[in-house]
Amino acid sequence: MRPVSAAVAYRAAGTGNNAAGATTLSIAQPTGTLAGDVLIAVVSVRGGTGTTITPPTQSAPYDWKAVPSGSADSTTTLKSTTYYKIVGPSDSGPYVFTFNGTQKASGVIVGFTGVDIGDPIDVAGSQANASNTAMIAPSVTTTVPNAMLVAAYSTATGTTVTVGSSMTLAGQDASTGGSAATRTTSGTQYVLQATSGASGTKTMTAAATAVNIGHLIALKPAPTISQASYRLFANTDSTTASTPLAAIDTAASVEKDAQFRLRINLGVASGGSMATAVTTRTYTLQFAARGADNVCDSSFTSETYANVTASTVVRYSTNPTPADGATYVTSANDPTRSGITAVGQRYHESATMTMASTIPAGQDGLWDIVLSTSGASFGQRYCMRIVDGFGAVLNGSYSVMPEIVVATPTITQANYRWFTNADSATPGAPLVAQDTPITNVATGTPIRLRQRLAINVAALPASAQDFKLQYAEKSGSCDTAFSGESYTDFMQLVAMTDTQDPSSLSSSGIGIAWVNEANARLIDNTDAMVTGIANSVGQVTKILNVTGFNFNIPTSAIIDGIELTVQGSESPSGNSFGLMITGNNGDNIYSSGSGSLSTGSQEIFGSATDSWGITSATQINGTGIGINFQVQLPSLPQAPAMFVDGFQEKVYYRVPQSNGTLQYFDNTSVASGAVISSGGNDPVNGARPTVLQAYYETDPFVVSSSIANGSDGLWDFVFTTTGAAAGKTYCLRTVKSSGGLLDTYTNIPEISFASAGGPTLDQKTRGGQAVVDGVKSPYSF
């Protein structure tokens, strides 16, 4: 990351000349140049008034611009023009200037850091000088302290130059060919002017006499900007701030995957810096998981920051009504500082924070940003900071660091009710009142349980937590102490693997065709081959499209990992290939920048624990995933070649299976995971809202619809028993899929099974009779 200097500082210089003359001049980029630097170029060309100079074409805001008052001619002999630019993220140089005819030319580009990139040029001037060894740049009057004076010179001869008094040489270069009198020389020097006011003329001395031109350019120092204050708010669908989540400059809890707002204040220092005309300045919000030092502070020593985007863990979010970039709307709850004027900037839903109004020195700027989290762990804390649009930390202080903690919901096993089974997502009739044990159930009889989980403190988003059922033979009582029972999972996960070959292969795109292309499908010691041209650059092959792996993994499986094997060889070493795994909708699931077969005959991508982001077997089964494979051939004296034998995929997964006396039951007409509806007799929990979830015949079961803070989720389960349950009573509880207990348990479902030979639940509910020694008597309840 580029640290921004508190003052303008010299970076380096790059030079260039076009020898005996040409229609172009290439000038090297200064060594060490970074995004956000400001470059000043002086171009010296023979021809004077008859010559035009065209700077390199680059996109705004990183294009070359002529310095105001930065061009002069010495009759028809010499033209000298100065340009400036802000270095962009992908700038690399060299920079090529173009002329309207063949001319001898030379130039120097000098780079500086710490310049006000919103308005780099404070003042500038140029003058043509009569033939002399003294090259004079005119005096300019700076308006800001700590301006960097850059003096640039051109002379109509091939020579060397000497730096002027009190200044520092940056660079010089001269054209060549023919007599010295037909050439040009360019030179630059610089000095920092601590106070604003007249600079005086600046002189550089040439070793030979000729007409010459001098330029003097004053660069503004970057304003000193600090991260001054912040406040976190609940989100609202407008640019108006909602309810504060915490006091100013105080960390706040946010709900997992829910929207929230950050209002942040950047302060501009009033001493020794300038902050006018900076409406083009941009900023970027970054985040980091709080590090080992367990504090969000300005040392940044234990955090690794990354830009907030629309797809990061802490991410930009959107509201339906306000537009990204809308004008900031002030609020009485804003994170303002006493005695300091705050200038509202913009509301943002995207990565680039822009300015709406100038922030004068000594004032603050306020931004309003809508955010959310995605995939964050409960209890995780995140730090946030602002950097400039080039990724550099601010050149002022970070006196406050916004911090959020992802609130952990509390989960309670609440109310329940027993029902008869029905072959649908809706159970049969209730058997007992809610929160009441059921007794004398016949072993082997499918039974239904509807169970509520109460959510408090924060919402429980969909898919944020998996659960499973456990049971224990009753020891004393079915209570929340769990002191006398040993609980067992209803299901166990059995690890399995499946390996498949592709059934289809074709090629597409522009590139070198594969010979015997079909041989690249199966790993069978028959190869497809591609051969490049010796010493040729940029050779790529056609893309091999490998599809039809035709997996048939149970839909209940948990996908743990995927491996792709590519087998082949290369000659000589140095070929590299890239691959992309695509889903059945064409999306990029997994990609590799490059691989190589130079050290062996196989390359394996993925692992037993890398699922490539795939969450269900349906994404893999049938024609679910495919491979796009392409090779980049190197430029070598010997014609490079790549041989591909074939491809193979292996999936590692776990399948839930029954695990003992109490087992899930499989109804034929309804699938596990089906959405449930209210049956009218559902267990209730006072006036708390109910969020209907799903019907399950297997573990784990998930949160299919987000459960708001203060609401309950309701699930429906069907299970049966083996004969080992006869005459026994069992307690049931819900735990997290990891085996961790819920926060509290207020009701523990209890079920008893009839002894072998005893009356069944069905017999009892139908009022059947028993015959003992010839005497009929009703079954007792």
Side-chain angles (χ1 to χ4, degrees), residues 579-629:
L579 60 88
M580 179 185 296
I581 311 301
T582 55
N584 49 21
N585 61 352
D587 58 328
N588 179 9
I589 295 175
Y590 181 97
S591 62
S592 166
S594 65
S596 174
L597 294 170
S598 60
T599 58
S601 62
Q602 285 192 348
E603 182 82 7
I604 296 177
F605 292 87
S607 70
T609 58
D610 182 359
S611 68
W612 298 355
I614 290 175
T615 57
S616 70
T618 56
Q619 295 173 270
I620 299 174
N621 287 340
T623 57
I625 55 177
I627 299 165
N628 295 331
F629 177 93

Side-chain angles (χ1 to χ4, degrees), residues 50-136:
T51 299
T52 59
I53 304 172
T54 303
T57 300
Q58 291 185 273
S59 299
Y62 309 122
D63 51 330
W64 285 94
K65 301 177 180 66
V67 174
S69 303
S71 182
D73 299 319
S74 182
T75 64
T76 60
T77 304
L78 179 68
K79 176 180 283 290
S80 180
T81 304
T82 54
Y83 301 89
Y84 75 97
K85 81 179 301 290
I86 300 165
V87 178
S90 59
D91 266 324
S92 60
Y95 302 105
V96 179
F97 296 80
T98 304
F99 318 126
N100 60 331
T102 298
Q103 296 285 0
K104 293 179 182 179
S106 60
V108 179
I109 293 176
V110 59
F112 295 90
T113 183
V115 180
D116 183 354
I117 58 175
D119 190 13
I121 308 298
D122 180 29
V123 64
S126 302
Q127 72 177 49
N129 302 303
S131 180
N132 202 308
T133 57
M135 301 185 295
I136 301 171

Side-chain angles (χ1 to χ4, degrees), residues 353-392:
M353 297 166 52
T354 59
M355 295 184 65
S357 303
T358 295
I359 311 170
Q363 297 187 15
D364 292 349
L366 284 167
W367 280 263
D368 184 2
I369 306 166
V370 58
L371 301 165
S372 66
T373 64
S374 178
S377 301
F378 292 126
Q380 178 65 61
R381 304 182 80 95
Y382 293 96
C383 314
M384 288 177 281
R385 71 180 184 189
I386 299 291
V387 297
D388 74 11
F390 299 96

Side-chain angles (χ1 to χ4, degrees), residues 21 38 83 121 154 209 222 329 343 421 454 457 515 544 553 558 562 615 646 663 694 771 777:
V38 170
Y83 301 89
I121 308 298
S154 302
T209 298
V329 177
V343 182
N421 183 44
V457 176
V515 178
L544 292 179
I553 296 169
I558 298 171
I562 302 174
T615 57
Q663 303 176 356
V771 180
S777 60

